[in-house]
Amino acid sequence: MSPASSAVTIGTSDRADWSESGCHGELLGPQKTSADAVPRAARLAKFHVPEILFGPGSLAELGHCAQRLGGRRPFLVTDPGLLEAGWADEAVGHLRRVGLRPVVWSDVTPNPKDHEVQAAFERYAESGCDVIVGVGGGSVIDAAKGVAILSGNGGHILDYAGVDRVVQPIPPTVMVPSTSGTGADVSQFVIVTDTTQHIKISIVSRTLVPDISVIDPRLLTTMPEWLNAATGLDALTHAIEAFVSRAHNPLTDNHALYAVKLITGNLVRTQVRPKDFDARLAMAQAALEAGMAFTNAILGATHAMSHQVGGLLDAPHGVVNGVLLPHVIRFNAEAWPERFVALGAAAGLPTAGVPPHEVAGRLADLVRALADDLGVPKSLTSLGVAGRDVPVLARTTLEDACMATNPRDVGLRDVEKLFREAL
């Protein structure tokens, strides 16, 4: 089963909107449903998101959320940075306020490792916990989801690499994002580092969409600048890749475009003024909009490549995206430039009378300029990637689940070329 089939029930080569799919005109009435005459739907889409609590102060609802899901002893996954900032303590307080007895696990590092997920699961199992709560960035939330996978399905976390391999139910989950970009709090993805192979693996399953996402923009104010930049560029990549994905649909398109508008208009403001209310609120919503788009439309070559670099170097995922995305935009636009026009308009670029190829090129330039404004390096070399790494990176990229929905067919030589252009 491809990532596209996990998200939507359309063929991955179908790029048309519903109005262009041959179904326009009159809708049909009741049809026979016998084995010989089952009506065929020309285009269907599924859109799966959690229950969402959004707004400043929403963290106060965390205890009620866990309680409504049957929680008595929540397992709260976080990291040292969230402990130091005080958010984990506030979360624990809200859980205890409603009579719950949380257990805290904080041994999570950026780009969560397979052995960290295993250790967290063992603590979860021995403590008799029930609901799993993640308070942190994408790494924390992915680790929390990893614990949920092992709790319901057993085995080792790397056993579930790929699409739809998590087949048994998992414990209830509540996620509280502390960054404005990863979308992990609403997505069907888990990304874990295989510390033996030095690669990141993608686990994709609808069962991994959290039950509840609590999005409190206050948590974004304690991010360091580099993390604010990285996660913001990650959200932008989610939005752009979701919009041009082979599995896009009208339900995902609007979220993707609005995310692009919010990010290009507010990300730099949050870097300059970390406590700016309007900008923080906008970026919190942008991350949510982009997350809802990509979890249902999946992603593309930028993420497939970025996962490999992150696995090799333990580099910040969003920073790698910021380096790679302009190159991938230009590559994909050679096959499907028209799709980038709406993205350019959402980013504030003039598009009337401008050839689609030119709009796509300007969008790539805009992404690079935004990365420059945020202090993101221009090349993979500056992150530590060497030319000798390219063959292995390219080979593992083609095995990444995100590659299946890239809008342009990609071969090994294509990926190698893209990596070398980004060096």
Side-chain angles (χ1 to χ4, degrees):
M1 202 177 213
S2 72
S5 63
S6 177
V8 291
T9 53
I10 63 172
T12 56
S13 63
D14 184 355
R15 296 173 173 172
D17 292 331
W18 286 329
S19 60
E20 300 169 348
S21 63
C23 298
H24 53 284
E26 295 185 356
L27 293 172
L28 299 175
Q31 302 290 297
K32 293 181 179 180
T33 55
S34 67
D36 297 329
V38 176
R40 181 180 180 276
R43 185 173 178 85
L44 295 176
K46 290 185 178 181
F47 194 82
H48 192 172
V49 294
E51 176 186 337
I52 297 167
L53 279 72
F54 183 96
S58 58
L59 182 60
E61 298 298 315
L62 181 61
H64 296 296
C65 291
Q67 194 174 51
R68 283 194 290 111
L69 294 176
R72 294 294 180 269
R73 192 167 176 78
F75 189 69
L76 192 154
V77 181
T78 189
D79 66 26
L82 273 294
L83 287 174
E84 183 179 352
W87 298 118
D89 284 344
E90 181 176 334
V92 167
H94 293 311
L95 293 169
R96 287 177 175 164
R97 182 168 52 88
V98 298
L100 305 182
R101 297 176 296 116
V103 171
V104 177
W105 175 266
S106 61
D107 292 340
V108 180
T109 60
N111 302 310
K113 318 301 185 288
D114 45 11
H115 59 83
E116 293 172 350
V117 174
Q118 182 64 34
F121 165 67
E122 291 172 2
R123 179 72 177 103
Y124 171 84
E126 71 183 21
S127 62
C129 287
D130 37 52
V131 171
I132 297 174
V133 178
V135 178
S139 295
V140 164
I141 294 174
D142 282 346
K145 290 183 182 180
V147 172
I149 291 171
L150 296 182
S151 175
N153 294 263
H156 190 279
I157 194 63
L158 301 180
D159 298 338
Y160 301 97
V163 180
D164 291 339
R165 293 185 178 177
V166 181
V167 296
Q168 299 299 324
I170 64 175
T173 54
V174 183
M175 301 302 171
V176 184
S178 63
T179 65
S180 49
T182 71
D185 58 300
V186 296
S187 83
Q188 60 174 319
F189 280 72
V190 169
I191 310 298
V192 177
T193 299
D194 179 337
T195 55
T196 300
Q197 300 296 324
H198 301 289
I199 61 173
K200 283 186 177 182
I201 60 110
S202 299
I203 303 171
V204 189
S205 171
R206 283 200 191 94
T207 61
L208 302 178
V209 175
D211 293 284
I212 303 176
S213 174
V214 180
I215 303 171
D216 188 335
R218 294 184 307 130
L219 274 70
L220 309 182
T221 61
T222 55
M223 280 190 291
E225 283 190 3
W226 71 266
L227 185 59
N228 186 59
T231 55
L233 289 171
D234 193 18
L236 182 61
T237 309
H238 291 156
I240 291 174
E241 292 210 297
F243 190 76
V244 301
S245 163
R246 293 178 188 259
H248 84 93
N249 65 70
L251 301 180
T252 61
D253 285 353
N254 287 336
H255 291 290
L257 291 175
Y258 193 46
V260 170
K261 178 180 179 180
L262 290 173
I263 295 165
T264 54
N266 292 279
L267 178 53
V268 173
R269 284 176 60 193
T270 61
Q271 198 83 338
V272 176
R273 299 176 60 191
K275 295 186 183 298
D276 185 301
F277 181 89
D278 292 335
R280 282 298 183 195
L281 202 64
M283 281 304 302
Q285 183 171 350
L288 171 61
E289 301 276 355
M292 292 191 295
F294 92 80
T295 191
N296 289 284
I298 315 300
L299 295 159
T302 306
H303 269 79
M305 296 170 68
S306 182
H307 290 158
Q308 315 319 310
V309 176
L312 176 69
L313 301 175
D314 204 20
H317 172 65
V319 171
V320 182
N321 280 344
V323 174
L324 291 171
L325 181 58
H327 299 281
V328 175
I329 288 174
R330 293 188 179 93
F331 173 82
N332 284 333
E334 291 180 18
W336 194 15
E338 296 79 12
R339 191 69 184 158
F340 289 90
V341 174
L343 286 169
L349 295 172
T351 59
V354 181
H357 271 104
E358 190 171 333
V359 173
R362 291 180 183 180
L363 179 63
D365 292 341
L366 183 150
V367 171
R368 185 57 254 175
L370 179 60
D372 289 341
D373 289 342
L374 297 168
V376 169
K378 292 182 181 293
S379 68
L380 294 179
T381 302
S382 60
L383 297 176
V385 179
R388 63 179 178 276
D389 299 320
V390 168
V392 173
L393 291 172
R395 186 183 73 251
T396 55
T397 292
L398 293 179
E399 299 169 1
D400 192 283
C402 293
M403 193 59 88
T405 44
N406 192 70
R408 181 179 175 184
D409 291 337
V410 185
L412 183 62
R413 290 185 179 179
D414 296 320
V415 182
E416 289 181 347
K417 182 180 178 182
L418 283 167
F419 271 124
R420 294 192 188 283
E421 287 176 351
L423 287 176

